[in-house]
Amino acid sequence: LKGPLKATLDHAELPDFDLTIHAKGRPQIMKGRLDLDFAEHLKADAALEARWVDLDVLFGAPAGDAGERPSPAEVLYLFGEEDLTDAEELGDAKRAVKLVQAGLCGDLVSDLDVALAASESGVTIDHLSATLPGKNRIEVGGKLTHGKFGPVFAGPVKLDGSDLRALSRWGSGDREVSSQASMGNFTLQANATVGDGELTLADAEGVLSDTKFRGALRLQGGERRLIELSLDSDKLDLRELLGEGPI
């Protein structure tokens, strides 16, 4: 860590620093700034930016039993737990991260822009946007809190792009997702709740294969899995998403 430091007994500033972290022999180089106020209770305001960071290496995302890479959901679960733990221990904190390119779950994510605000009540995601594999875009905002046995996210989510095949393969962590699924423009926006073994998409609407749709989805894990789906559309060709093979 290199940069000018300004400090008093109750405040510290690193207005312009260079940070290099060596993870598994690979240097991760970032620039940033940090303000710390510890007069009454700890307050932090930090920003980081980089042209390239390998998040899989930096955060040591665990591989599965067969050595396969974890899915984005598993990695985000770990990030969520860590953020909530930090929020409880560090007090009020604001963080902004901008990455031109990042390695995540064995693929490339670009234009990652995240702003978080942490407090005792949880973590607020002011905004999160990124270009996912297949040049698909995601925008997220909302709240991260403790659930019954893990982090729970609630807030609006928007997805749009033209390569559902690449997105579904990466999102599920399954490289064997049907290669017959074609590339086609799509959009999806919904109020999402994710965590504690359940996914809910409420007030969902979007466009697939040039056809509008709306509805809701609820997936619940456990010994007996539950799927609830309501769908309203004039026509919906799921071959864009699933390919010609059996589901």
Side-chain angles (χ1 to χ4, degrees), residues 31-47:
K31 296 182 69 67
R33 63 167 180 81
L34 173 64
D35 290 342
L36 285 174
D37 190 340
F38 33 87
E40 297 181 3
H41 66 279
L42 184 61
K43 294 182 180 180
D45 189 347

Side-chain angles (χ1 to χ4, degrees), residues 110-111 129-132 135-139 158-161:
S110 58
D111 301 322
S129 62
T131 300
L132 305 179
K135 296 183 179 180
N136 300 293
R137 290 284 301 170
I138 187 171
E139 296 179 14
K158 181 180 180 181
L159 278 166
D160 65 82

Side-chain angles (χ1 to χ4, degrees), residues 6-18:
K6 301 176 182 179
T8 65
L9 292 177
D10 56 10
H11 189 78
E13 295 180 25
L14 282 164
D16 183 16
F17 65 79
D18 295 317

Side-chain angles (χ1 to χ4, degrees), residues 2 16 31 58 91 101 105 108 111 119 167 198 228:
K2 297 179 181 179
D16 183 16
K31 296 182 69 67
L58 188 62
Q101 290 184 325
C105 300
L108 186 66
D111 301 322
S119 65
L167 183 61
E198 186 170 320
E228 293 181 350

Side-chain angles (χ1 to χ4, degrees), residues 56-225:
D56 291 337
V57 171
L58 188 62
F59 288 96
D65 294 336
E68 71 276 7
R69 293 184 182 274
S71 69
E74 292 170 322
V75 173
L76 291 174
Y77 183 90
L78 294 174
F79 287 175
E81 280 196 320
E82 186 170 321
D83 275 341
L84 287 171
T85 300
D86 289 346
E88 292 175 345
E89 295 177 352
L90 298 179
D92 295 335
K94 293 182 179 180
R95 283 171 290 173
V97 178
K98 291 186 178 182
L99 305 177
V100 177
Q101 290 184 325
L104 180 62
C105 300
D107 218 318
L108 186 66
V109 173
S110 58
D111 301 322
L112 179 63
D113 187 351
V114 185
L116 304 174
S119 65
E120 293 181 354
S121 62
V123 176
T124 299
I125 302 174
D126 292 329
H127 71 264
L128 184 158
S129 62
T131 300
L132 305 179
K135 296 183 179 180
N136 300 293
R137 290 284 301 170
I138 187 171
E139 296 179 14
V140 176
K143 188 84 172 180
L144 194 64
T145 58
H146 285 291
K148 294 178 180 178
F149 54 85
V152 175
F153 165 79
V157 175
K158 181 180 180 181
L159 278 166
D160 65 82
S162 60
D163 194 345
L164 278 167
R165 176 178 56 195
L167 183 61
S168 57
R169 281 181 169 180
W170 178 76
S172 65
D174 185 1
R175 304 296 174 179
E176 303 302 321
V177 169
S178 173
S179 62
Q180 301 177 38
S182 62
M183 295 171 62
N185 293 330
F186 73 95
T187 63
L188 170 66
Q189 57 186 24
N191 292 317
T193 303
V194 187
D196 280 352
E198 186 170 320
L199 164 67
T200 301
L201 299 178
D203 304 318
E205 59 182 42
V207 178
L208 180 63
S209 303
D210 297 321
T211 304
K212 294 181 179 180
F213 67 90
R214 56 191 176 91
L217 173 67
R218 179 184 172 213
L219 302 175
Q220 182 177 304
E223 293 184 6
R224 183 172 178 81
R225 297 182 181 180

